[in-house]
Amino acid sequence: EEGADYLAVSSIDEAMELRVNGIGCERDLMGRAFRAQMKYAGKKNVPYLVVIGDDEIASGVVNVKKMEDGSQTEVKISELVEYCKTNL
């Protein structure tokens, strides 16, 4: 599944919440290194990437990265679904 409303995310909880809300997403299940995940996202032409690690969980904020130009937008995790519905 590809398209403007498709994301690669690293948190299973956020992936499930996005899917429940009709936003296609993918999560790495192979335990690949971050660099390998970025390369995979590029090969799959994933238009947006969200990384949710320990730092992001602690701060409650993620960066939504537009893969096409590398631009990033900070979004509160609690507002990620609404941000995606409005902007992707």
Side-chain angles (χ1 to χ4, degrees), residues 3-86:
D5 62 346
Y6 189 75
L7 293 153
V9 296
S10 60
S11 165
I12 195 164
D13 293 335
E14 287 305 314
M16 289 178 63
E17 187 173 345
L18 290 165
R19 289 180 186 135
V20 165
N21 283 280
I23 300 164
C25 64
E26 186 170 321
R27 181 182 174 275
D28 180 65
L29 300 173
M30 297 173 59
R32 290 178 281 207
F34 179 72
R35 177 174 253 188
Q37 291 180 47
M38 292 287 289
K39 186 175 180 180
Y40 175 78
K43 281 184 178 179
K44 292 273 294 185
N45 293 319
V46 173
Y48 296 91
L49 179 74
V50 177
V51 176
I52 305 173
D54 293 339
D55 292 342
E56 290 78 15
I57 291 170
S59 69
V61 176
V62 296
N63 282 309
V64 178
K65 180 176 183 176
K66 186 174 182 181
M67 297 294 283
E68 181 179 70
D69 62 12
S71 64
Q72 296 187 45
T73 304
E74 280 192 356
V75 179
K76 291 181 182 178
I77 293 174
S78 61
E79 298 172 0
L80 183 59
V81 170
E82 192 58 40
Y83 174 85
C84 292
K85 286 182 174 181
T86 304

